[in-house]
Amino acid sequence: MPMNPTQIQLIQPDDWHLHIRDGAVMKDVLADTVRQFARAIIMPNLKPPVTTVDLANTYRARILAQLKLLDVDSFTPLMTLYLTNNTSVDEVRKAKLAGIAAFKLYPAGATTNSDAGVSDLKHCHAALEAMQAVGMPLLVHGEVTNSQVDIFDREAVFIDQVLEPLRKTFPELKIVFEHITTLQAAHYVRDATTAGKNTIAATITPQHLLMNRNAIFNGGIRPHHYCLPVLKREEHRLALLEVATSGNPRFFLGTDSAPHAKGAKEAACGCAGCYSAFNAMGLYAEAFESVGKLDRLEGFASFFGPDFYTLPRNSKKITLVKQAQNIPHELPLGSETIVPLRAGETIAWSLG
Ligand code: NCD
Ligand code: ZN
């Protein structure tokens, strides 16, 4: 690859962590994702959450109906189930047979629509054992929810209090540490020893590669830069950028694009979530280019995710062009609007 390419080609990427919601807004957000990605891991934090295979199947059918309206037949939603205190061993086995891609652990109260989340992992012992046995990955929102713990420390504390004990108890359980935000998480995943097969990976969002916590307070409060886990200090951003661009297959793309209507963000108690789907690949390209590692983007975006999930890599290619794209101030979201990441500014790379 030349030093400063003006165009790059890569195997079509997948998004290993995505919220597309439901109902009237779904079509609008899906339209942005399918321009770039071939597959996406669909988060189950609907209201009520997607806790069973039957609910996931009906959700998938609604997604496929929207894709049909968009005239898209080249996109595959990968469904997940929301782990609860009551998830049964039978449901895990049924999920495996039904082709469910993973279970998602939300500690109760950690984030948007997580009230039904797990209050203590001890309630999930049998379900986790079954996941390990059938080879069902567990995706974790890695933050403790104890209000005594400072919000900027919740991820690091989760590693010590939850993740490390979990991995000791279930050494063969495949775990994805989702949307990591700290140096501690980056180094934990990088340095984790696994017996034989690789059992640990992490996804990283574009906002955590491009912004630190100053972005939440730049000249005033910036609700569109508020997501969970919250942006951290610059040293953490640099550690994430380092591992994401290192070529280590344990780190791959997951946008965590999390749409909330403008009014729900610009409020006295605004929702958490950044909407990056509009041009997520352009944002990732900016991040990789900032450290001269554009040649590592394809592995991160297109190879390491399917390899971890033991799915085939995509074969189609996409092109990214170094051409600034103006990002609209607002986009349609059902009967409302949404403010995308970089609204009113530009993203340096566009889809060719
Ligand atoms: C997500 C959402 O809105 O569903 N929000 C977020 O800030 N990332 C939930 C989540 O992934 O934590
Ligand atoms: Zn998420």
Side-chain angles (χ1 to χ4, degrees):
M1 189 179 284
M3 277 296 280
N4 295 304
T6 53
Q7 167 165 328
I8 53 173
Q9 260 210 342
L10 51 158
I11 289 286
Q12 191 173 17
D14 305 300
D15 187 347
W16 300 96
H17 183 128
L18 178 68
H19 301 268
I20 56 170
R21 314 301 188 205
D22 207 347
V25 305
M26 195 209 284
K27 184 155 139 274
D28 293 328
V29 296
L30 260 178
D32 287 337
T33 287
V34 300
R35 276 200 304 277
Q36 303 159 72
F37 299 101
R39 295 170 287 200
I41 285 275
I42 307 295
M43 284 293 129
N45 63 330
L46 301 183
K47 249 182 166 162
V50 182
T51 50
T52 64
V53 173
D54 292 346
L55 287 169
N57 282 339
T58 54
Y59 187 26
R60 183 200 274 120
R62 294 195 296 280
I63 298 169
L64 296 179
Q66 295 300 329
L67 289 169
K68 199 158 190 187
L69 290 178
L70 291 166
D71 214 10
V72 170
D73 58 11
S74 56
F75 179 81
T76 308
L78 302 169
M79 307 309 292
T80 61
L81 294 191
Y82 189 112
L83 186 71
T84 73
N85 289 346
N86 304 315
T87 301
S88 69
V89 167
D90 273 359
E91 202 63 41
V92 173
R93 294 194 184 128
K94 194 173 161 190
K96 183 69 185 178
L97 291 174
I100 298 293
F103 275 69
K104 175 71 190 265
L105 163 66
Y106 286 102
T111 187
T112 310
N113 300 345
S114 65
D115 308 346
V118 172
S119 59
D120 190 323
L121 265 183
K122 69 174 189 257
H123 301 302
C124 302
H125 196 94
L128 293 167
E129 206 161 45
M131 278 177 226
Q132 175 172 254
V134 301
M136 173 68 78
L138 177 71
L139 317 182
V140 302
H141 181 110
E143 289 190 288
V144 294
T145 52
N146 182 341
S147 60
Q148 305 296 309
V149 179
D150 189 280
I151 190 167
F152 291 101
D153 298 333
R154 287 179 190 173
E155 187 173 278
V157 172
F158 179 89
I159 296 172
D160 296 338
Q161 290 189 353
V162 184
L163 186 56
E164 180 60 15
L166 175 69
R167 291 189 56 246
K168 282 228 164 76
T169 314
F170 302 103
E172 282 170 38
L173 178 64
K174 281 177 103 162
I175 297 174
V176 185
F177 195 166
E178 299 281 77
H179 44 52
I180 60 168
T181 64
T182 57
L183 176 147
Q184 287 89 340
H187 290 183
Y188 179 82
V189 172
R190 183 192 66 188
D191 300 337
T193 48
T194 57
K197 277 183 290 191
N198 193 20
T199 50
I200 182 113
T203 55
I204 308 181
T205 78
Q207 65 266 25
H208 291 100
L209 291 175
L210 289 166
M211 295 188 286
N212 64 38
R213 66 192 197 179
N214 285 345
I216 314 170
F217 307 105
N218 189 8
I221 192 134
R222 302 291 189 121
H224 301 292
H225 292 164
Y226 170 58
C227 66
L228 286 170
V230 72
L231 295 171
K232 304 295 192 301
R233 285 179 181 276
E234 179 67 0
E235 70 196 65
H236 297 290
R237 186 186 76 85
L238 293 174
L240 297 172
L241 200 50
E242 161 83 37
V243 293
T245 62
S246 67
N248 183 332
R250 288 186 180 176
F251 299 94
F252 49 82
L253 185 156
T255 62
D256 193 20
S257 180
H260 292 280
K262 183 175 193 249
K265 295 282 296 174
E266 298 176 7
C269 185
C271 293
C274 294
Y275 186 65
S276 60
F278 186 67
N279 181 8
M281 284 310 299
L283 292 167
Y284 281 114
E286 274 189 8
F288 278 63
E289 185 181 37
S290 74
V291 285
K293 295 277 177 63
L294 271 172
D295 58 327
R296 295 270 164 82
L297 181 60
E298 188 177 40
F300 176 82
S302 313
F303 296 161
F304 305 151
D307 294 354
F308 186 82
Y309 280 85
T310 61
L311 290 168
R313 294 177 178 181
N314 296 316
S315 47
K316 226 180 94 182
K317 290 196 167 170
I318 66 159
T319 303
L320 297 174
V321 188
K322 180 92 189 269
Q323 190 177 301
Q325 180 183 21
N326 293 320
I327 307 303
H329 285 95
E330 291 176 32
L331 298 165
L333 184 75
S335 59
E336 301 183 81
T337 64
I338 188 164
V339 177
L341 215 55
R342 279 297 164 78
E345 299 175 55
T346 59
I347 293 178
W349 290 80
S350 316
L351 210 59

